[in-house]
Amino acid sequence: MTTARPYHDQIDQERMLDLVRKRPAERVAAFPSVIDLQEMLGVAAIQAHTYLWEDERGALLGYALLDDGMLAYEGAHEIEGEMLAWAEADARQAGWPSLDLNCREDDLTRLAALEAFGFNRLDEGGVYMSRTLLDPIPAPVLPPGFTIRPIAGEEEVEAHVAMHRAAWGTENMTVEYRLSMMRTPTYERELDLVAVAPDGRLAAYCMCYISADENELSGHSVGYTDPVATHPDFQGQGLAKALLLAGMELLRTRGIDTVCLGTSRDNVAMQRAAAVVGFRVVSATVAWSKALS
């Protein structure tokens, strides 16, 4: 017998993380990863839209969570229909116009389930790019007067969030979410880079990180250089490229031999900046949506 209930506390988070850790090695970094979950579950609004499924002994079978209508779920195939049904009902109750998610284009089992549940495939999605750090890493070149440094700390988060919102043209990032990103166990402030304009304004950023969990489970030595973005006032000056190169060198000094990043398919500027410094596309996701209106 299967039971479902709302997310409660840190104990539930640890059980969800353990479920991710049990993935096959080739899927351990798939979204949501250990770090992704830690970041999301540090936000009260996401906790309020998280559900867990357990068997009669209380063992965790799966979970589903919603972040402003974006669905992430994991669990036994036998309860996939239950998780999708819960997600749709929860999204309707929250008043979101659609239920959305991204799925790896080679995950045929999940793709079939989404289609059967009434989701529609969109001409959108993401790309996952990778680059070896064993090859030479050029030194970053900045426009005159610009510098690269780590974020000052939590006292600079409000300015960072304002830059993020301007760069992406959305209000999605919040101070609470950015603080949650900085309070995960593996966060290193020295890897959380910003480019600073001559007048002291935050001009661009690149949040680098290493997931010890992923590397231990996969047997690889991987680091990440995303998200990356530039304020509109400073675009076109090579800041994203410079930040990527600076982040790659920092990861290399920590013994990392492969660097990865993800971006949307329509973010051509980011893909070009990454390609210029040696990244290549290694996998892709497809966006799916179910209208709820």
Side-chain angles (χ1 to χ4, degrees):
M1 179 180 177
T2 302
T3 59
R5 62 168 177 83
Y7 175 91
H8 287 159
D9 50 29
Q10 185 69 27
I11 294 175
D12 282 346
Q13 180 180 147
E14 289 303 319
R15 297 172 71 212
M16 293 165 68
L17 295 175
D18 285 341
L19 198 62
V20 172
R21 295 183 181 109
K22 292 175 182 176
R23 293 173 180 167
E26 65 273 12
R27 285 192 58 248
V28 71
F31 181 84
S33 66
V34 167
I35 291 178
D36 292 326
L37 278 179
Q38 288 170 333
E39 291 175 354
M40 290 190 289
L41 291 173
V43 178
I46 299 177
Q47 293 178 16
H49 294 279
T50 300
Y51 235 62
L52 283 69
W53 281 259
E54 300 168 328
D55 66 14
E56 63 276 6
R57 299 183 306 278
L60 184 64
L61 298 174
Y63 69 83
L65 60 82
L66 287 167
D67 179 6
D68 197 25
M70 285 295 298
L71 169 64
Y73 71 95
E74 179 135 12
H77 178 64
E78 293 75 19
I79 61 169
E80 191 164 17
E82 292 182 44
M83 292 189 287
L84 291 172
W86 168 83
E88 179 176 348
D90 191 71
R92 285 185 184 278
Q93 186 174 17
W96 289 313
S98 63
L99 181 60
D100 307 298
L101 77 160
N102 287 317
C103 176
R104 280 184 61 113
E105 61 182 5
D106 59 356
D107 191 345
L108 302 182
T109 301
R110 177 163 290 191
L111 293 176
L114 295 175
E115 189 169 5
F117 203 75
F119 281 80
N120 295 305
R121 180 170 176 158
L122 307 178
D123 292 328
E124 302 171 12
V127 294
Y128 190 70
M129 306 179 75
S130 178
R131 192 243 204 229
T132 178
L133 296 182
L134 301 180
D135 294 338
I137 302 171
V141 178
L142 288 164
F146 283 78
T147 58
I148 290 176
R149 61 165 172 81
I151 189 172
E154 294 191 359
E155 66 271 19
E156 201 167 38
V157 164
E158 288 192 11
H160 197 291
V161 168
M163 171 181 58
H164 179 110
R165 290 179 169 186
W168 293 100
T170 75
E171 300 293 307
N172 292 342
M173 180 56 68
T174 64
V175 169
E176 182 188 18
Y177 200 108
R178 193 52 167 78
L179 288 173
S180 180
M181 296 170 73
M182 296 171 70
R183 292 170 180 172
T184 61
T186 55
Y187 173 78
E188 296 182 60
R189 187 181 65 84
E190 294 77 12
L191 297 178
D192 194 355
L193 302 177
V194 293
V196 184
D199 62 2
R201 295 169 61 196
L202 298 186
Y205 70 93
C206 176
M207 188 174 188
C208 307
Y209 59 95
I210 301 166
S211 174
D213 269 307
E214 286 181 19
N215 289 338
E216 181 178 354
L217 292 167
S218 68
H220 300 308
S221 177
V222 176
Y224 295 87
T225 54
D226 71 76
V228 186
T230 303
H231 191 286
D233 291 350
F234 304 102
Q235 290 174 1
Q237 301 186 60
L239 296 180
K241 175 184 175 182
L243 282 164
L244 285 171
L245 290 171
M248 289 158 56
E249 179 60 26
L250 283 173
L251 293 171
R252 187 193 64 78
T253 63
R254 283 163 168 73
I256 298 300
D257 59 34
T258 303
V259 62
C260 299
L261 64 81
T263 189
S264 63
R265 293 191 188 203
D266 59 2
N267 193 346
V268 177
M270 183 66 250
Q271 293 175 48
R272 286 176 179 165
V276 165
V277 297
F279 283 82
R280 295 294 179 266
V281 175
V282 293
S283 64
T285 60
V286 179
W288 291 73
S289 181
K290 184 172 185 178
L292 303 180
S293 58

